[in-house]
Amino acid sequence: MKTINVKRTASKGVIMGKAYVVERPDLQADVRRISGEAVEEELARFERAIEAAKADLELLAEENAIFGAHLELVQDPMLYDSIVEKVREEKANAELALDEAIAAIGAIFDSMEDEYMRERGSDIRDVGKRLMCKLKGVEDSALSAIREKVIVIAKDLAPSDTAVMNLDFVQGFITEEGGVTSHVSIMARNLNLPALVGVEGIMSEVKSGDLLAMDAKHGVIVIHPDEAAQAEYAEKIEAFRRREKELAEISLLPAETPDGKTVELFANVGNIEDIKNALPHHIDGIGLFRTEFLYMENDHFPTEEEQFAVYKEAAELLEGREVIIRTLDIGGDKALSYFDFGEEENPFLGYRAIRVCLDREDVFKTQLRALLRASAFGNIRIMYPMMISVEELDRANELVKICKEELRGEGQAFNENIVVGMMIETPASVVCAEDFAARVGFFSIGTNDLTQYTLAVDRGNKKISHMYNSFHPAVLRNIKRTIDAGHAAGIKVGMCGEFASDPKAVKVLLGFGLDEFSMSAGAVAEVKAELRSTPYASAKAVADQVAKCAYVEEIDRLLSAD
């Protein structure tokens, strides 16, 4: 018996079953150069691969919107032109050209700090794998061969893998690669299947048929469990099932404390598919719609009509509930293939987010017009990112006013009273929170960046990442000050950073008076259960104590007391 402890839980759950180790076909690029006479023949091979992949994806897209995005990628002019150029100019064969092009585009996403954005590179690689299979004339049938209940073990799993595996036979997933925002993680949460990701060396530790026990909530894998371990896990599985049943019942109830304090539980999303997946979790609204994907998955700045269609659908899906849509938050670690940000020594403190929008008013106005038009179809709210000055806010609001005047002149319908708010994610926005609160309709605290900037800690730097801690007294005091400033001005204060779904943070955030918690939809039931079992009066008492603490250890003790 061997026990492995894992840090990255993608989806909670406890299971025991046989391992199924996924063995992939060899898709190593056939690296070779070709003669000038062979260029047209090689391009014809590539065209046939494109057509075959398109045919597959058109069928798959009818069942799953993810493949609609893949279909667009297969036909993306940037990818296509890059491969054609490598074949024509560098005399690379189609496999080598494809491999280099996919690697270059994937590297753009790999360099991003935001894990959610970084994992989008899996879409690019999945499309590359499909095209490589077509070029080599091989089929990847490892997952379609599953015919019994198993725990799938793989190097990584891509969106297309879900289309070929029989999910009736899949008990859970363990992968060597991937993060908590990767497609396998999202898929596992949507299917309510336990999953652990980033488990280095698991492929060499396990072979198909081995008995495994897995506690994905606590990040434990037991290989060849003995009788005692099997009995222990049988009890854990039963306890987990009872808890899941409780959470399913709790999810139908309001987010209300035992002494009558109510809050809102919203979801963070990146596209329409995310919204559809979030709705069954009984969310109260959307607290963060990241619009950057509309831009990053394009080869041009998306037009007003392209954006309007997406925002309108989002509004209609929520049927009157709030949809808070963040304006373009690009730059830093989020690049665009068709826009040059220029060289920067520190892009996270540079040309990004609202700074880009106010510099490129044409781009910003296009988005604002689309948002305003979509507001006629539901409860859309506009949210600005990365604000540090009232001057920036005034200018952004002036552009909203200009767009409204234009739309009136064109006879376009929109919500005249659309609510505009901003993110609090910089120390400057906290210090000036009272000034901002007098000029916006709501605040949403972005704890990921607020923690990083408050503590001056790069969470991507392994040497100091342990210092990144949202429970630091400075971060908690910044959160409290923001909530107090918002409430003094009579506006709602929400939180869309990861901290909002931390069970240990719920009590202190509730005690500080946070009005809205926004998170991954899969975390909503757990947070609701925590809220429903925590009297507001006791949460407030604990929060008052926490606000006076000078040490992180003191805060940990207070929040772990019960």
Side-chain angles (χ1 to χ4, degrees), residues 238-274:
E238 186 56 37
F240 181 79
R241 285 174 180 164
R242 287 196 300 271
R243 179 58 175 165
E244 286 297 289
K245 185 178 179 182
E246 289 174 11
L247 289 175
E249 293 170 354
I250 288 171
S251 71
L252 300 172
L253 302 172
E256 182 179 329
T257 68
D259 49 354
K261 170 75 170 177
T262 60
V263 298
E264 295 175 308
L265 297 183
F266 285 13
N268 296 337
V269 300
N271 52 41
I272 294 298
E273 191 65 23
D274 285 352

mmCIF file of all heavy atoms in Angstrom, residues 238-274:
data_model
loop_
_atom_site.group_PDB
_atom_site.id
_atom_site.type_symbol
_atom_site.label_atom_id
_atom_site.label_comp_id
_atom_site.label_asym_id
_atom_site.label_seq_id
_atom_site.Cartn_x
_atom_site.Cartn_y
_atom_site.Cartn_z
ATOM 1 N N GLU A 238 -19.520 6.802 2.108
ATOM 2 C CA GLU A 238 -20.892 6.921 2.587
ATOM 3 C C GLU A 238 -21.125 8.281 3.238
ATOM 4 O O GLU A 238 -22.160 8.933 3.030
ATOM 5 C CB GLU A 238 -21.197 5.796 3.577
ATOM 6 C CG GLU A 238 -22.642 5.750 4.025
ATOM 7 C CD GLU A 238 -23.628 5.649 2.868
ATOM 8 O OE1 GLU A 238 -23.318 4.956 1.868
ATOM 9 O OE2 GLU A 238 -24.701 6.286 2.952
ATOM 10 N N ALA A 239 -20.131 8.743 4.015
ATOM 11 C CA ALA A 239 -20.250 10.061 4.667
ATOM 12 C C ALA A 239 -20.297 11.176 3.627
ATOM 13 O O ALA A 239 -21.064 12.149 3.774
ATOM 14 C CB ALA A 239 -19.080 10.272 5.620
ATOM 15 N N PHE A 240 -19.488 11.040 2.587
ATOM 16 C CA PHE A 240 -19.474 12.054 1.534
ATOM 17 C C PHE A 240 -20.811 12.094 0.810
ATOM 18 O O PHE A 240 -21.338 13.175 0.503
ATOM 19 C CB PHE A 240 -18.346 11.782 0.540
ATOM 20 C CG PHE A 240 -18.247 12.796 -0.555
ATOM 21 C CD1 PHE A 240 -17.647 14.031 -0.330
ATOM 22 C CD2 PHE A 240 -18.785 12.548 -1.816
ATOM 23 C CE1 PHE A 240 -17.569 14.982 -1.336
ATOM 24 C CE2 PHE A 240 -18.713 13.498 -2.821
ATOM 25 C CZ PHE A 240 -18.099 14.708 -2.579
ATOM 26 N N ARG A 241 -21.395 10.938 0.551
ATOM 27 C CA ARG A 241 -22.693 10.890 -0.130
ATOM 28 C C ARG A 241 -23.770 11.571 0.713
ATOM 29 O O ARG A 241 -24.644 12.269 0.185
ATOM 30 C CB ARG A 241 -23.077 9.440 -0.421
ATOM 31 C CG ARG A 241 -22.289 8.834 -1.583
ATOM 32 C CD ARG A 241 -22.594 7.362 -1.736
ATOM 33 N NE ARG A 241 -21.838 6.785 -2.852
ATOM 34 C CZ ARG A 241 -21.663 5.480 -3.041
ATOM 35 N NH1 ARG A 241 -22.185 4.611 -2.182
ATOM 36 N NH2 ARG A 241 -20.965 5.037 -4.079
ATOM 37 N N ARG A 242 -23.725 11.328 2.027
ATOM 38 C CA ARG A 242 -24.706 11.978 2.915
ATOM 39 C C ARG A 242 -24.543 13.490 2.863
ATOM 40 O O ARG A 242 -25.537 14.238 2.805
ATOM 41 C CB ARG A 242 -24.532 11.475 4.352
ATOM 42 C CG ARG A 242 -25.021 10.060 4.584
ATOM 43 C CD ARG A 242 -25.185 9.786 6.080
ATOM 44 N NE ARG A 242 -23.949 9.943 6.820
ATOM 45 C CZ ARG A 242 -23.063 8.958 7.022
ATOM 46 N NH1 ARG A 242 -23.313 7.738 6.542
ATOM 47 N NH2 ARG A 242 -21.964 9.179 7.712
ATOM 48 N N ARG A 243 -23.280 13.950 2.870
ATOM 49 C CA ARG A 243 -23.028 15.392 2.831
ATOM 50 C C ARG A 243 -23.484 15.996 1.507
ATOM 51 O O ARG A 243 -24.060 17.095 1.483
ATOM 52 C CB ARG A 243 -21.527 15.655 3.041
ATOM 53 C CG ARG A 243 -21.122 17.125 2.997
ATOM 54 C CD ARG A 243 -21.864 17.947 4.022
ATOM 55 N NE ARG A 243 -21.384 19.330 4.067
ATOM 56 C CZ ARG A 243 -22.039 20.311 4.659
ATOM 57 N NH1 ARG A 243 -23.186 20.078 5.288
ATOM 58 N NH2 ARG A 243 -21.547 21.542 4.665
ATOM 59 N N GLU A 244 -23.254 15.308 0.409
ATOM 60 C CA GLU A 244 -23.685 15.799 -0.900
ATOM 61 C C GLU A 244 -25.207 15.923 -0.960
ATOM 62 O O GLU A 244 -25.738 16.872 -1.539
ATOM 63 C CB GLU A 244 -23.186 14.854 -2.009
ATOM 64 C CG GLU A 244 -21.706 14.963 -2.303
ATOM 65 C CD GLU A 244 -21.322 16.334 -2.831
ATOM 66 O OE1 GLU A 244 -21.668 16.653 -3.978
ATOM 67 O OE2 GLU A 244 -20.687 17.092 -2.074
ATOM 68 N N LYS A 245 -25.885 14.964 -0.351
ATOM 69 C CA LYS A 245 -27.351 15.018 -0.326
ATOM 70 C C LYS A 245 -27.813 16.237 0.476
ATOM 71 O O LYS A 245 -28.743 16.954 0.082
ATOM 72 C CB LYS A 245 -27.902 13.733 0.282
ATOM 73 C CG LYS A 245 -29.428 13.651 0.232
ATOM 74 C CD LYS A 245 -29.926 12.329 0.795
ATOM 75 C CE LYS A 245 -31.452 12.289 0.754
ATOM 76 N NZ LYS A 245 -31.974 11.019 1.332
ATOM 77 N N GLU A 246 -27.142 16.491 1.610
ATOM 78 C CA GLU A 246 -27.457 17.666 2.423
ATOM 79 C C GLU A 246 -27.240 18.954 1.630
ATOM 80 O O GLU A 246 -28.070 19.872 1.664
ATOM 81 C CB GLU A 246 -26.583 17.693 3.675
ATOM 82 C CG GLU A 246 -26.913 16.643 4.714
ATOM 83 C CD GLU A 246 -25.905 16.640 5.853
ATOM 84 O OE1 GLU A 246 -25.088 17.591 5.920
ATOM 85 O OE2 GLU A 246 -25.913 15.701 6.658
ATOM 86 N N LEU A 247 -26.095 19.023 0.925
ATOM 87 C CA LEU A 247 -25.780 20.235 0.156
ATOM 88 C C LEU A 247 -26.785 20.460 -0.968
ATOM 89 O O LEU A 247 -27.139 21.601 -1.273
ATOM 90 C CB LEU A 247 -24.361 20.151 -0.409
ATOM 91 C CG LEU A 247 -23.223 20.284 0.601
ATOM 92 C CD1 LEU A 247 -21.877 20.068 -0.084
ATOM 93 C CD2 LEU A 247 -23.245 21.657 1.268
ATOM 94 N N ALA A 248 -27.239 19.372 -1.591
ATOM 95 C CA ALA A 248 -28.236 19.502 -2.662
ATOM 96 C C ALA A 248 -29.517 20.116 -2.121
ATOM 97 O O ALA A 248 -30.160 20.934 -2.787
ATOM 98 C CB ALA A 248 -28.513 18.131 -3.282
ATOM 99 N N GLU A 249 -29.882 19.728 -0.906
ATOM 100 C CA GLU A 249 -31.078 20.287 -0.285
ATOM 101 C C GLU A 249 -30.847 21.737 0.140
ATOM 102 O O GLU A 249 -31.722 22.597 -0.030
ATOM 103 C CB GLU A 249 -31.469 19.431 0.927
ATOM 104 C CG GLU A 249 -31.928 18.030 0.540
ATOM 105 C CD GLU A 249 -32.076 17.101 1.745
ATOM 106 O OE1 GLU A 249 -31.717 17.521 2.862
ATOM 107 O OE2 GLU A 249 -32.546 15.962 1.550
ATOM 108 N N ILE A 250 -29.658 22.010 0.679
ATOM 109 C CA ILE A 250 -29.321 23.373 1.110
ATOM 110 C C ILE A 250 -29.275 24.334 -0.073
ATOM 111 O O ILE A 250 -29.666 25.501 0.042
ATOM 112 C CB ILE A 250 -27.971 23.369 1.857
ATOM 113 C CG1 ILE A 250 -28.132 22.707 3.238
ATOM 114 C CG2 ILE A 250 -27.424 24.793 2.026
ATOM 115 C CD1 ILE A 250 -26.822 22.453 3.955
ATOM 116 N N SER A 251 -28.811 23.838 -1.227
ATOM 117 C CA SER A 251 -28.668 24.718 -2.401
ATOM 118 C C SER A 251 -29.996 25.323 -2.833
ATOM 119 O O SER A 251 -30.027 26.371 -3.485
ATOM 120 C CB SER A 251 -28.036 23.940 -3.567
ATOM 121 O OG SER A 251 -28.948 22.994 -4.098
ATOM 122 N N LEU A 252 -31.099 24.689 -2.471
ATOM 123 C CA LEU A 252 -32.429 25.189 -2.842
ATOM 124 C C LEU A 252 -32.918 26.284 -1.904
ATOM 125 O O LEU A 252 -33.895 26.972 -2.192
ATOM 126 C CB LEU A 252 -33.438 24.032 -2.836
ATOM 127 C CG LEU A 252 -33.144 22.866 -3.788
ATOM 128 C CD1 LEU A 252 -34.110 21.719 -3.518
ATOM 129 C CD2 LEU A 252 -33.236 23.309 -5.235
ATOM 130 N N LEU A 253 -32.214 26.451 -0.782
ATOM 131 C CA LEU A 253 -32.649 27.407 0.239
ATOM 132 C C LEU A 253 -31.977 28.763 0.051
ATOM 133 O O LEU A 253 -30.945 28.865 -0.613
ATOM 134 C CB LEU A 253 -32.323 26.850 1.629
ATOM 135 C CG LEU A 253 -32.948 25.483 1.971
ATOM 136 C CD1 LEU A 253 -32.391 24.967 3.290
ATOM 137 C CD2 LEU A 253 -34.468 25.581 2.012
ATOM 138 N N PRO A 254 -32.506 29.817 0.658
ATOM 139 C CA PRO A 254 -31.878 31.139 0.530
ATOM 140 C C PRO A 254 -30.556 31.203 1.288
ATOM 141 O O PRO A 254 -30.326 30.453 2.245
ATOM 142 C CB PRO A 254 -32.898 32.097 1.145
ATOM 143 C CG PRO A 254 -33.937 31.279 1.801
ATOM 144 C CD PRO A 254 -33.766 29.863 1.408
ATOM 145 N N ALA A 255 -29.661 32.097 0.858
ATOM 146 C CA ALA A 255 -28.385 32.328 1.545
ATOM 147 C C ALA A 255 -28.664 33.255 2.726
ATOM 148 O O ALA A 255 -28.483 34.470 2.656
ATOM 149 C CB ALA A 255 -27.369 32.940 0.586
ATOM 150 N N GLU A 256 -29.114 32.658 3.834
ATOM 151 C CA GLU A 256 -29.563 33.426 4.991
ATOM 152 C C GLU A 256 -28.996 32.821 6.263
ATOM 153 O O GLU A 256 -28.999 31.601 6.445
ATOM 154 C CB GLU A 256 -31.094 33.426 5.043
ATOM 155 C CG GLU A 256 -31.678 34.231 6.180
ATOM 156 C CD GLU A 256 -33.203 34.206 6.143
ATOM 157 O OE1 GLU A 256 -33.776 34.105 5.038
ATOM 158 O OE2 GLU A 256 -33.815 34.291 7.219
ATOM 159 N N THR A 257 -28.500 33.661 7.154
ATOM 160 C CA THR A 257 -27.949 33.181 8.420
ATOM 161 C C THR A 257 -29.091 32.795 9.368
ATOM 162 O O THR A 257 -30.240 33.194 9.154
ATOM 163 C CB THR A 257 -27.090 34.264 9.094
ATOM 164 O OG1 THR A 257 -27.940 35.344 9.511
ATOM 165 C CG2 THR A 257 -26.017 34.787 8.155
ATOM 166 N N PRO A 258 -28.783 32.031 10.444
ATOM 167 C CA PRO A 258 -29.843 31.627 11.378
ATOM 168 C C PRO A 258 -30.568 32.808 12.027
ATOM 169 O O PRO A 258 -31.728 32.671 12.431
ATOM 170 C CB PRO A 258 -29.078 30.811 12.436
ATOM 171 C CG PRO A 258 -27.883 30.285 11.708
ATOM 172 C CD PRO A 258 -27.501 31.369 10.757
ATOM 173 N N ASP A 259 -29.879 33.971 12.120
ATOM 174 C CA ASP A 259 -30.540 35.135 12.721
ATOM 175 C C ASP A 259 -31.044 36.142 11.696
ATOM 176 O O ASP A 259 -31.268 37.315 11.995
ATOM 177 C CB ASP A 259 -29.627 35.822 13.750
ATOM 178 C CG ASP A 259 -28.223 36.085 13.224
ATOM 179 O OD1 ASP A 259 -27.925 35.639 12.095
ATOM 180 O OD2 ASP A 259 -27.426 36.720 13.930
ATOM 181 N N GLY A 260 -31.226 35.669 10.428
ATOM 182 C CA GLY A 260 -31.966 36.461 9.452
ATOM 183 C C GLY A 260 -31.187 37.370 8.522
ATOM 184 O O GLY A 260 -31.771 38.097 7.718
ATOM 185 N N LYS A 261 -29.852 37.360 8.565
ATOM 186 C CA LYS A 261 -29.051 38.181 7.659
ATOM 187 C C LYS A 261 -28.946 37.466 6.300
ATOM 188 O O LYS A 261 -28.560 36.301 6.229
ATOM 189 C CB LYS A 261 -27.649 38.378 8.244
ATOM 190 C CG LYS A 261 -26.632 38.997 7.310
ATOM 191 C CD LYS A 261 -26.855 40.485 7.127
ATOM 192 C CE LYS A 261 -25.670 41.111 6.373
ATOM 193 N NZ LYS A 261 -25.891 42.544 6.120
ATOM 194 N N THR A 262 -29.317 38.160 5.216
ATOM 195 C CA THR A 262 -29.245 37.554 3.887
ATOM 196 C C THR A 262 -28.121 38.181 3.064
ATOM 197 O O THR A 262 -27.816 39.364 3.206
ATOM 198 C CB THR A 262 -30.565 37.724 3.118
ATOM 199 O OG1 THR A 262 -30.848 39.117 2.967
ATOM 200 C CG2 THR A 262 -31.713 37.032 3.839
ATOM 201 N N VAL A 263 -27.499 37.353 2.222
ATOM 202 C CA VAL A 263 -26.493 37.820 1.279
ATOM 203 C C VAL A 263 -26.807 37.208 -0.085
ATOM 204 O O VAL A 263 -27.712 36.373 -0.198
ATOM 205 C CB VAL A 263 -25.054 37.433 1.716
ATOM 206 C CG1 VAL A 263 -24.692 38.063 3.038
ATOM 207 C CG2 VAL A 263 -24.890 35.917 1.773
ATOM 208 N N GLU A 264 -26.061 37.606 -1.101
ATOM 209 C CA GLU A 264 -26.250 37.052 -2.440
ATOM 210 C C GLU A 264 -25.045 36.194 -2.809
ATOM 211 O O GLU A 264 -23.911 36.548 -2.495
ATOM 212 C CB GLU A 264 -26.408 38.182 -3.464
ATOM 213 C CG GLU A 264 -27.666 39.008 -3.264
ATOM 214 C CD GLU A 264 -27.728 40.190 -4.225
ATOM 215 O OE1 GLU A 264 -26.749 40.949 -4.280
ATOM 216 O OE2 GLU A 264 -28.760 40.345 -4.900
ATOM 217 N N LEU A 265 -25.317 35.078 -3.479
ATOM 218 C CA LEU A 265 -24.256 34.191 -3.945
ATOM 219 C C LEU A 265 -24.276 34.173 -5.471
ATOM 220 O O LEU A 265 -25.229 33.684 -6.086
ATOM 221 C CB LEU A 265 -24.440 32.778 -3.384
ATOM 222 C CG LEU A 265 -24.361 32.657 -1.858
ATOM 223 C CD1 LEU A 265 -24.484 31.200 -1.428
ATOM 224 C CD2 LEU A 265 -23.066 33.253 -1.325
ATOM 225 N N PHE A 266 -23.235 34.736 -6.055
ATOM 226 C CA PHE A 266 -23.113 34.877 -7.503
ATOM 227 C C PHE A 266 -22.016 33.947 -8.036
ATOM 228 O O PHE A 266 -21.244 33.378 -7.262
ATOM 229 C CB PHE A 266 -22.756 36.328 -7.863
ATOM 230 C CG PHE A 266 -23.892 37.311 -7.747
ATOM 231 C CD1 PHE A 266 -25.080 36.995 -7.111
ATOM 232 C CD2 PHE A 266 -23.764 38.589 -8.284
ATOM 233 C CE1 PHE A 266 -26.121 37.904 -7.009
ATOM 234 C CE2 PHE A 266 -24.789 39.520 -8.189
ATOM 235 C CZ PHE A 266 -25.965 39.179 -7.547
ATOM 236 N N ALA A 267 -21.947 33.840 -9.356
ATOM 237 C CA ALA A 267 -20.930 33.005 -10.000
ATOM 238 C C ALA A 267 -19.997 33.853 -10.861
ATOM 239 O O ALA A 267 -20.419 34.849 -11.456
ATOM 240 C CB ALA A 267 -21.591 31.934 -10.867
ATOM 241 N N ASN A 268 -18.729 33.432 -10.923
ATOM 242 C CA ASN A 268 -17.750 34.009 -11.851
ATOM 243 C C ASN A 268 -17.745 33.172 -13.123
ATOM 244 O O ASN A 268 -17.684 31.938 -13.052
ATOM 245 C CB ASN A 268 -16.343 33.984 -11.250
ATOM 246 C CG ASN A 268 -16.213 34.834 -10.007
ATOM 247 O OD1 ASN A 268 -16.988 35.763 -9.796
ATOM 248 N ND2 ASN A 268 -15.224 34.528 -9.180
ATOM 249 N N VAL A 269 -17.783 33.821 -14.288
ATOM 250 C CA VAL A 269 -17.825 33.092 -15.561
ATOM 251 C C VAL A 269 -16.925 33.767 -16.594
ATOM 252 O O VAL A 269 -16.543 34.935 -16.429
ATOM 253 C CB VAL A 269 -19.269 33.006 -16.121
ATOM 254 C CG1 VAL A 269 -20.185 32.284 -15.148
ATOM 255 C CG2 VAL A 269 -19.818 34.398 -16.436
ATOM 256 N N GLY A 270 -16.622 33.008 -17.652
ATOM 257 C CA GLY A 270 -15.799 33.554 -18.720
ATOM 258 C C GLY A 270 -16.474 33.543 -20.077
ATOM 259 O O GLY A 270 -15.971 34.141 -21.031
ATOM 260 N N ASN A 271 -17.616 32.833 -20.168
ATOM 261 C CA ASN A 271 -18.318 32.758 -21.453
ATOM 262 C C ASN A 271 -19.744 32.258 -21.220
ATOM 263 O O ASN A 271 -20.140 31.982 -20.082
ATOM 264 C CB ASN A 271 -17.566 31.850 -22.439
ATOM 265 C CG ASN A 271 -17.268 30.481 -21.828
ATOM 266 O OD1 ASN A 271 -18.101 29.895 -21.137
ATOM 267 N ND2 ASN A 271 -16.066 29.979 -22.058
ATOM 268 N N ILE A 272 -20.489 32.115 -22.294
ATOM 269 C CA ILE A 272 -21.888 31.694 -22.204
ATOM 270 C C ILE A 272 -21.995 30.269 -21.669
ATOM 271 O O ILE A 272 -22.893 29.944 -20.878
ATOM 272 C CB ILE A 272 -22.579 31.806 -23.578
ATOM 273 C CG1 ILE A 272 -22.671 33.286 -24.012
ATOM 274 C CG2 ILE A 272 -23.969 31.175 -23.539
ATOM 275 C CD1 ILE A 272 -23.495 34.166 -23.095
ATOM 276 N N GLU A 273 -21.083 29.395 -22.080
ATOM 277 C CA GLU A 273 -21.119 28.011 -21.611
ATOM 278 C C GLU A 273 -20.961 27.946 -20.092
ATOM 279 O O GLU A 273 -21.626 27.162 -19.420
ATOM 280 C CB GLU A 273 -20.020 27.192 -22.297
ATOM 281 C CG GLU A 273 -20.127 25.692 -22.077
ATOM 282 C CD GLU A 273 -21.371 25.072 -22.693
ATOM 283 O OE1 GLU A 273 -21.936 25.658 -23.648
ATOM 284 O OE2 GLU A 273 -21.776 24.001 -22.200
ATOM 285 N N ASP A 274 -20.084 28.802 -19.550
ATOM 286 C CA ASP A 274 -19.913 28.858 -18.094
ATOM 287 C C ASP A 274 -21.222 29.251 -17.397
ATOM 288 O O ASP A 274 -21.560 28.726 -16.335
ATOM 289 C CB ASP A 274 -18.840 29.891 -17.722
ATOM 290 C CG ASP A 274 -17.428 29.407 -17.994
ATOM 291 O OD1 ASP A 274 -17.263 28.215 -18.329
ATOM 292 O OD2 ASP A 274 -16.493 30.224 -17.874
#
